Every structure is written in C-alpha cells, then in structure tokens.
Amino acid sequence: MFLVGELGRSMRSDGILGVGGSDQSRATAVVVASRRRWLKRRETWLVVLGVALHAVYMLSIFDIYFKTPIVHGMDPVPPRFSEPPAKRLVLLISDGLRADKFFEPDEEGKYRAPFLRNIIKNQGRWGVSHARPPTESRPGHVAIIAGFYEDPSAVTKGWKANPVEFDSVFNQSRHTFAFGSPDIIPIFCSALPHSTWNSYPHEYEDFATDASFLDEWSFDQFEGLLNRSHADPKLKELLHQDKLVVFLHLLGCDSNGHAHRPYSSIYLNNVKVVDKIAERVYHLLEDYYRDNRTSYIFTADHGMSDKGSHGDGHPTNTDTPLVAWGAGIQYPKPASGNSHSDSVTTFVDKHAHDMPTPYDWGLRRVERVDVNQADIAPLMSTLLGLPCPVNSVGNLPLGYMKLNEAEEVEAVVANTKQILNQLLRKSYIKSSNSLFFKPFKPLVHHSFSLSQIDELISAKSYEAAMKLAVDLRNLSLEGLHYFQTYDWLMLMTVITLGYTGWMIVLALHVLQCYSSLSGDLSKKEHLSVQKKDSGKVYISGCLLMAILSVLNLVEHSPPLYHAYIGMTVFLWTQIFSEYRLIRGLWKYLRERRADYFIKLLFAAAVAVVIVELLVHSFTERKLYTWFFLIAGVVASILLHFSIPWRSGIPVFVCISCWFLSVFTLMPAEIPDNNNLVVTSGAIIIVISLAAKWLGTHAEGNKFWQSITFHESRTQMCSMLYCIQIFLVGVSSVMVFLSTKHRTQNQELHSSHQFINWLVAGSSMVLPLFSANGILSRLSSIFLGFAPPFLLLSIGYEAVFYSALAVVLMAWILFENASHHSSKVKESSLSENNTEEHITIGSDERYLQLSDVRIPLVFMVLFNVAFFGTGNFASIASFEISSVYRFITIFSPFLMAALLIFKLFIPFMLVICAFSAITKLVRVPRLGCYFLVILFSDIMTIHFFFLVKNTGSWMEIGNSISHFGIVSAQVVFVLLLFALTNLYTRSIRIKPLSTSPSLKTL
Ligand SMILES: [Zn+2]
Ligand SMILES: [Zn+2]
C-alpha cells in the first residue's frame, strides 16, 4: 500500500492500465451506484473473512505448541532381575521445600534436618533434583511419580484428575497407600483400584496458621493404618506383600512458604518438622517389618522463591533436595573431583551439571548425584522391580542404586526399551497415517542394536552393553522430540503463509478500492475480463483445496488442519484471482525511478520499526516514554515546514507528547492518590476552557476553519457546555466526598452512590447533542467521558486522561497542518480530476503513501491508551477500591463490567479522534481500518512465533494472551468503531469549495 500515493499521482497524468479521459459521463451515475454497492459488499465480506481467519489461526497454537506428549498402547518392560532390590518403597514429598534451606545450617550453625543429614553421611545417597518450569505442584508430582514433564496442554483439559490417561509408578505397583493434600493425591489415586488413600478437606489449607500440622496429618493417617493392621488380618496380609508404595505428601512447607516466605521462622521450622516425620516414618516401618527390605526417597516437587511464590525457572524454584536410603540404595561415597556429574550436560531447568556444592552445606566430602526430576520415577520402579511408567522420559540414576554389574545393565536396558517403545509407538502412529512418512533416521536399525546388547550381555561384556544401551536411550529421547515437533514445519508454514496472504489481500483491497487505481478498475470491461479469467483461478483453487483435504483425510489429520490449510489456500486463490491488478502494479513499479523506491523503502522501514516497537512494548512499557519524547521533537520539526512557529502549534505538539511520555514511567500498579484525581477534574475543565476559547477566537482564521467549523445553533450548545463543565466539577467533588465518607464510615453513602451513577450516566449522553464541528464535538466527548472516568480513578490515571486527550488534539492539529500544506502544493501544481471522486464519494479522497502515517499513529495511541496506565499483569490485580464509588456490595460481574468500561474510555477517545481525522483529511475510514488490521497482523505473526510452551505458567499464559489479544484486535477495533460512530457520525467539516491558505495564519 505504500505505492498508493505515488500511484495516485501518476494515474492522474497517464493511467497505468492505459485508459484516460472522461467521456462516459452519462453512465457515470449508474457505475457509481453499482460500484458503491459492490464496495460495501466487499468490505463486509473482508471483515467477516478477517474475523473467521483470526479465530481459526488462533486455535493453531494448540496444535503446534500444546500437543500432549502422551501416547498409549506401549507394553511395560519389567527389568530382568532375579529378585528386586526392595519389597516396598516410601516416597516422602515435602511440597515447596527448596534445596538450600534444607541443606544449609541456621545462624547458630545447626542443621535443620539432622536425621536426613545423618542418612546422607552414613547410610544413603543425596543430590539436587532439578525441576522443570512451570515449577508448580501438579507438574512436579507428575514428573516424580509418572516420569514425564506434563505438557501445558493439560490446561486445556482443566487439570482434571486423569490417572487413566497416563501411567505412573503407583499404577504399576501392587498397592499404593497415599495420604496428603486434596489437590495432589486424587490426581494419582482417585481412579486407581489398588490404592488406599485419604486427603484432608480444603479448609485445612488455611494460610493464616502454621501449616506444619498438615504434615503431621499425613503421618498420623499412615501410622493409624499400620496400627489398624494389627487388628485387621486382611490389611496385614496386604501390607506384607511386595511391590508396595507408600506416599506421604507433606504440604506444610508450601503453605508456610506462601504465607510467611521461605526466610520466616515458620517455614524454616517446617523443615525440621519434615525431617522429624522422615525419622518417625523410618523407625515406624523398620519396627513394623524388621526385614531391611524398605527403600526411602525424600524429595520435593519444587522450591520456593524469596517472595514466597514458585512457578518460574529460578534456581530457588527448580532446585529441590533428594535423599534416598534403605533397601537397594548405595551407601555414601567420598566425593572425588567432579564426580557428581551425570550423563547429561545440562538439566531440564537449564542449569549446568557441575555446579559445585555450596561450602556451608558441609557436604563437599560426600558424593552428590544430581538428577532431573523425572529420573526419580524410573529409580522408584527399578527399586521395586517394576516396569518404568510407560510414558516416562526419565533416565535411571544408577548412582543411587546398589546393583551388581549384570543387574545394572538389565535395569538400564529395561529403561531404554521403555523409552524406545514410546518412540516406536509414535513412529508407528505417524507412519500408518502419513503418505510421505519421514522416519527418525538414527533409529531405523534399533532392533539390531537391541540384539547386539543382548549378545553382549550373554557374553558378559557389560561395559560395552551399557554403553550401547545408554546411546540407544539418548537417541530414543531425541526421537521423541522429533515426533513431537513432526508437524511444526508444515503447520507454521501454512499459518505464516495464511497471515501473509491475508495481509496481501488487504493491501490489494486497499489499493483497488481506496487508491486512485480504483478509477480504472471500475471500468466495466475490466471487471468482466477479470471475472472470466478469475474463474479459472477459482477452479484451480478449489481443486487444490480438494486434493489437500483428501490428503488430510487419508492422513487422519486433526479436523482443524483442514481449516488451516483451507483458509490459506482460499486466501492465495483470492490473491491469484487478482493477477491483473498485480501485473499492473508490477509494470507500474518497474517504470519508477530510484527516488520513488527510496521513499517506499523509507515508509516500509518506519512502519516496521513502529510495529516492532509495539510488539516489544507488550513487555516493556517504558518504550513509549522514548517514543513520545522523540515523536514530540520530530513532529514539531516536521510541522515547522508547513506552519510558522509563532502559531504555537509545533511547541504545543512537542510539549503534549512529552507530557504523555511521563505516564509509562509510572508503576503499573496504580498507587492511591485521591488528591490527584480531584485535581485532574480541574485540569480537565481548564483544557476544555482552552478549547472553547480557541473555538470562538479562531472563528475567522482560515487555518482553523476546518476544525472549528460547525453548522448548528450556538445558544443551546453553550448551555450544554456549561452543564458538562458542571458535571465534571460535581464528579470531582464526589470523588472527594464519597472516598472521605467511605474511609470514615467503612461504607458508601447511598445518596453518594445515587449521585455518582446519575452524573456518570447523564454526562455520557450529552455529547450527542453538542455542536457538530470537530473541535466542539470532540471536546464535548472529552468532557462527557470525564465524570465516569474520574469516578473510577484512584490515582495518576485521571491525569493520564487529560494527557491523552491533549496528545490526540495535537495529532489532529498535525494532520490538519500537513493536510493544508499538501493541499496548497497540490492546487498549485495539479489539475482537478473530477473522475477521481466517483468511487468513494464526493467528500473523500484517495489514500496516498503519506496517509500510511494515520493508521500507524493510531496504533501507537491505541496501545498507549492501555499501556499508559498499566500492563497485562495489572489487569488481574486491579484496584477494586475504584469501583466502590458505584457499588456497595460485592458483585464480581458488575465490578468487572465497570473496570472493563474504565479501560474502554481511553480507547474510545482515540477512536473518536481517529474518526475525526479521517473526516478532516477526507480519507476513507474503512480503508484506514484495513491498514490498521494489516499492520497489527505483522504483530500477530511476530507474537505467533513468540508463543512459549515452556517456562512458568505466567510466561506461557502471557505469551498466549499477547497472541490472542493482537489476533482479537480485528474484532475489537471494529466494535469500538461501531460504538463511537454514535458520537462521531454527525461530525461535519467545512465543504471543499473554499480552500484556505496558510498565509492567513
Ligand atoms: Zn507444590
Ligand atoms: Zn505452592
């Protein structure tokens, strides 16, 4: 669309498709009418297409980024042991226990977990277990118990307890006893027939008290069970069988960490509590069985940050302690150099594997074996002689196990086969559906490797067998990733092509309908020729779509694949059906001189820079500060060429931009400042007085005419104006009164409530009756939305309202000035072609290259309307106190509606100014809307590639919501257009006949 302007200018002289002259004045009326109808249909169609397209492509992220890694139908592979190392296993998970608080001494130099420390030094093995973000309870427990890192796609299933959907150590066990939190235990046990479990009611998780009693609860439950067994022979028999798992979930540290932070004495004391519980469980079971066939594993699902939260990839969250002892577990070894290294070079939390043990832990002399969190699952399975959970991706940590050489190899081979089975299953599913299957090449000969391993084992060359098995396991893990991302290239290409196609369709539409090119294409003969030729294109498009659909059907692709591909093919068919237009453009471009391309490239570069700035502003709102600081200077320099300094406009534009730049430096969480809200009422009145003064004093001035011109009677308007000023004053007073009353009496006075509703409601209706000149209508809208905004404000955002309005005024002045100067230039050098106006109407002109500025500035202001007073995080934590001037009782829906309405008001101002500008400079508004959508889709593509499926919930959620929000802009902007049209449609500007000149300013 950058060509539009130049194209337009050249058309006037030669016409790119070789048609000139204006001899069909008879047919003109008919052509105009039919063309307008055609244009209207086409605009509606494009909007519908845009909405559908964004909805469909938005869903694609679930097929690309959030696909579950789980497959079904693999056979479990039990290790070939003569006798498993342990008969039963106790798993203790201290929820939210971070490694350093567990291992380090307190201020007095005493260690907090004396029992487990003694175990580390004398009886068992230890290490740091690395969790993968999101470091949350459910993914952590799934990694430990089922051996895989749960994909965020589980979010789409609502985090239901779904034990049948994945395998776990508990599933494979003979019986599982589990006690703990109602959020964790049911995930694994609720549908497990061979389990005995219990959880406390949710009310127990009261953050106010010391939560360590939750840990005691789990222990007491288990102790009670053992005591009952003395009287219950059936239970006793069950307890004496092999392959039993006991799982005690200890929530205390997590609750206390959230409530009191991990430096609090309550949290640190809880570490002592879990150590004590580990000791009691140990003695309880050793006394009960007296057979030394129990293994114990103590670990945590995630850590706890200094702020008392968890979720991200910070070491305080990902590093958790792991202590194992008992049957089948090695005794401690003295540390030898960097012996705690594992086969992996980095862990799942991206930390290097050779991080030295902190000195104050006092454990440098005991060998440390770090693991990935999912490695604990195969460790538990192997200890009990069970097959690893079939969905596990954990590597058996041999450093923990006391096995002979043959058993070691057998254990690793079972682990390898289990991972390989997943790969083979995935490969089988893909190959049975795909027509052009690309296998994972490194593992085509896996059966040969397996038989080689067996041969080596029977020849007792265990070392070689082990090496082969480990290599095979690593390759299998790589292969799993290969199949997880198998469709990525295809899907991403299709979606990117789709967005690009949509942008080209939009650009072609803008060129064809709102640029001077349309003059030629409206000629009947061209339309008919176009139709005949495009028929062929449509037929081939349909054919292609049919072929691809059949291919998709044969490949059993998910239903949405059809939609993605269909949409993309459809868009490109649309583009090819316009090939005459494209050819015309190409021909036109080739005839241009170099300076034209420089202009074009410059415009493109500016557009890309601005769009990228907007992309980054989603995470860094301070960028707007820089933008407005620079924009103020640049705009006033540019203005200097078209109007003299003494008009004051360049200075005004610069200062208003600088004023707005302040707000993005302020905190996103708005601090309470009632006086500021009251004062900003006065600021609003002052601004409107200035506008009024301008309106009356600039009446005779020709430069101001197009802004101040209005048709309606003045007497009623000045009364209306007084009422509006009065309402703003009242709302300002009401902010003061109702807040004061509420802080004193803890409630809102019902008369205050009534007045607030009345003032806010009535003031929004008033602008509809104001004079219909640009300045008077816009300042009336500004005044009309001020009372509700003030009444909903709590701090600096009330001032932001005025600052935004002033910048919008500056924008209008800027566009007015450049419109004038261009008009002066044009009228001095070009002929007035009447045919130019037949397509879009007498009061609109064609878009030019320089008009690209309008949608770009609009996008910046539209975004700053939101980011000026907050960011995405601050929406969630909105200051509720602002709505208490309207409601007394807690009602979430009404509160949310009021808060959303408050967010809408700045957007409305921007859209109103935008509509006014399109009228002022006489460009088609829908044309500008399509350009806005085009630019925001550059952002959409960028955010599409920025969607993350790893990291904390917040990072994942933000990346999705950024993509979703830009995708939804096509609807959102349109909706706001429709709403604000109520206020702006009656705006009149001075008819074209008089052309003012700048000399009079
Ligand atoms: Zn947790
Ligand atoms: Zn937690």
Side-chain angles (χ1 to χ4, degrees), residues 506-573:
L506 275 185
L508 287 178
H509 170 73
V510 169
L511 281 178
Q512 202 179 351
C513 298
Y514 313 109
S515 79
S516 43
L517 237 115
S518 55
D520 277 277
L521 290 167
S522 67
K523 302 281 185 301
K524 257 191 173 164
E525 63 271 23
H526 278 272
L527 278 179
S528 59
V529 171
Q530 184 101 10
K531 253 178 205 154
K532 213 193 284 169
D533 285 351
S534 57
K536 284 179 204 156
V537 178
Y538 281 126
I539 290 170
S540 30
C542 285
L543 263 177
L544 182 64
M545 213 188 293
I547 293 169
L548 290 174
S549 279
V550 169
L551 281 182
N552 266 327
L553 275 179
V554 172
E555 296 206 340
H556 298 276
S557 304
L560 274 173
Y561 280 33
H562 293 267
Y564 311 141
I565 293 174
M567 191 63 89
T568 306
V569 171
F570 175 77
L571 286 167
W572 282 92
T573 312

Side-chain angles (χ1 to χ4, degrees), residues 672-690:
D672 266 309
N673 190 340
N674 215 35
N675 293 335
L676 207 57
V677 181
V678 177
T679 324
S680 65
I683 300 177
I684 288 168
I685 293 175
V686 168
I687 291 173
S688 68
L689 284 175

Side-chain angles (χ1 to χ4, degrees), residues 313-489:
H314 192 269
T316 52
N317 286 330
T318 60
D319 290 0
T320 63
L322 172 62
V323 183
W325 73 101
I329 304 282
Q330 271 190 44
Y331 274 55
K333 274 189 208 162
S336 55
N338 53 355
S339 60
H340 60 259
S341 66
D342 213 328
S343 56
V344 282
T345 46
T346 52
F347 291 104
V348 280
D349 54 353
K350 310 234 167 81
H351 299 158
H353 67 101
D354 51 356
M355 172 194 89
T357 306
Y359 198 76
D360 61 345
W361 292 8
L363 291 170
R364 285 207 159 183
R365 294 174 177 202
V366 191
E367 192 188 64
R368 176 179 123 205
V369 184
D370 279 14
V371 297
N372 284 324
Q373 200 167 42
D375 300 344
I376 299 173
L379 173 65
M380 294 195 290
S381 298
T382 313
L383 281 170
L384 291 172
L386 300 170
C388 298
V390 292
N391 305 113
S392 160
V393 293
N395 294 320
L396 177 68
L398 277 178
Y400 280 83
M401 301 208 56
K402 185 164 65 189
L403 297 171
N404 63 38
E405 233 185 335
E407 285 173 331
E408 267 187 358
V409 176
E410 287 297 354
V412 171
V413 167
N415 184 210
T416 303
K417 282 182 179 165
Q418 168 264 321
I419 294 174
L420 181 67
N421 276 351
Q422 283 183 75
L423 173 88
L424 296 178
R425 183 72 198 162
K426 280 196 177 184
S427 175
Y428 170 76
I429 293 171
K430 258 274 126 44
S431 69
S432 59
N433 289 336
S434 317
L435 291 173
F436 315 101
F437 175 66
K438 292 191 297 294
F440 181 62
K441 289 217 182 72
L443 280 183
V444 174
H445 304 295
H446 64 273
S447 46
F448 173 71
S449 308
L450 282 177
S451 57
Q452 214 176 359
I453 291 171
D454 279 344
E455 273 168 32
L456 286 169
I457 291 174
S458 43
K460 292 206 166 34
S461 52
Y462 296 122
E463 212 168 304
M466 179 69 90
K467 194 182 169 306
L468 260 181
V470 168
D471 286 349
L472 192 58
R473 185 174 64 186
N474 290 340
L475 279 177
S476 304
L477 286 171
E478 267 173 47
L480 285 180
H481 180 75
Y482 170 82
F483 283 111
Q484 184 69 21
T485 55
Y486 190 83
D487 288 340
W488 271 30
L489 185 66

Side-chain angles (χ1 to χ4, degrees), residues 95-96 135-138 141 184 249 251 254 258 301-302 310:
D95 202 310
T135 44
E136 301 286 348
S137 290
R138 182 182 161 123
H141 281 88
I184 298 299
H249 174 247
L251 188 67
D254 183 68
H258 287 308
D301 58 343
H302 52 76
H310 49 84

